[in-house]
């Protein structure tokens, strides 16, 4: 079994990878949305190999480091408000036996997170609210509608990535880290 220092080392490596990805959001224009999502996906390795508790600690460390180091604050908000913790929370939600309740719970989490992220963008980051209205159409509601569809694809993709990881990488990582 991996000793405590090995767990800390794995957590540190994943923290470093996530923090670098978040730092890159300031350098890669499309990174505002893609890189926080990818950084969050890496936390699934911690959930699988160590535990959700360790993943929450890594999430907190990456959130703090990203807030201090990443230039793209919108990406930081998206990581903290949703992408960073969702893969961990997904692990817990999928223990619900009723599939419909799982999906409803996931959609509630997503929608609440996106509304909070929007409010933070308006109130803390200073983005003018009228910049989200074109021809009388409130774009945040349009974005939220399409965002729900994209989120369902993202959630489905996460499930596929976990399956792929379990079949292709888990045994190798387990062997490399001397896990039982």
């Amino acid at each position: 079994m991996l000793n405590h220092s090995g767990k800390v080392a794995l957590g540190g490596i994943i923290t470093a990878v996530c923090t670098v990805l978040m730092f890159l959001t300031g350098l890669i224009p499309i990174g505002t949305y893609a890189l926080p999502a990818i950084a969050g996906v890496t936390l699934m390795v911690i959930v699988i190999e160590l535990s959700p508790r360790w993943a929450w600690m890594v999430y907190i460390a990456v959130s703090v480091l990203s807030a201090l180091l990443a230039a793209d604050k919108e990406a930081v908000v998206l990581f903290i408000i949703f992408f960073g913790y969702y893969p961990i929370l997904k692990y817990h939600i999928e223990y619900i036996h009723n599939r419909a309740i799982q999906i409803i719970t996931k959609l509630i989490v997503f929608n609440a997170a996106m509304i909070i992220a929007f409010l933070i963008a308006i109130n803390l980051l200073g983005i003018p609210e009228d910049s989200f209205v074109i021809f009388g159409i409130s774009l945040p509601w349009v974005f939220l509608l399409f965002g729900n569809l994209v989120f369902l694809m993202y959630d489905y993709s996460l499930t596929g990535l976990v399956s792929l990881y379990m079949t292709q990488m888990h045994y190798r990582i387990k062997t490399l880290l001397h896990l039982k």
Side-chain angles (χ1 to χ4, degrees), residues 132-165:
F132 292 102
V133 176
I134 297 178
F135 303 120
I137 299 171
S138 179
L139 292 181
W141 295 111
V142 173
F143 289 151
L144 192 60
L145 176 66
F146 287 113
N148 277 278
L149 299 174
V150 172
F151 164 71
L152 291 172
M153 290 187 292
Y154 172 73
D155 182 66
Y156 181 77
S157 298
L158 284 178
T159 301
L161 285 172
V162 168
S163 296
L164 183 65
Y165 179 85

Side-chain angles (χ1 to χ4, degrees), residues 46 51-61 85 88-89 92:
I46 299 295
S51 73
R53 186 176 140 224
W54 278 89
W56 284 111
M57 290 187 287
V58 170
Y59 160 73
I60 291 167
Y85 71 82
I88 307 166
L89 190 60
H92 296 292

Side-chain angles (χ1 to χ4, degrees), residues 56-111:
W56 284 111
M57 290 187 287
V58 170
Y59 160 73
I60 291 167
V62 173
S63 296
V64 170
L65 290 170
S66 296
L68 296 172
L69 301 174
D72 188 341
K73 297 307 179 194
E74 184 180 0
V76 172
V77 168
L78 289 172
F79 180 82
I80 293 171
I81 297 297
F82 183 71
F83 288 116
Y85 71 82
Y86 180 73
I88 307 166
L89 190 60
K90 176 179 172 60
Y91 169 83
H92 296 292
I93 292 171
E94 291 186 351
Y95 274 102
I96 299 170
H97 294 293
N98 185 319
R99 182 83 172 125
I101 293 174
Q102 278 183 19
I103 293 170
I104 290 168
T105 303
K106 291 174 181 181
L107 286 169
I108 289 170
V109 169
F110 172 76
N111 284 285

Side-chain angles (χ1 to χ4, degrees), residues 118-119 121-123 125-134 137-141:
F118 172 75
L119 293 173
I122 298 295
N123 296 315
L125 299 180
I127 298 172
E129 192 170 348
D130 60 344
S131 68
F132 292 102
V133 176
I134 297 178
I137 299 171
S138 179
L139 292 181
W141 295 111

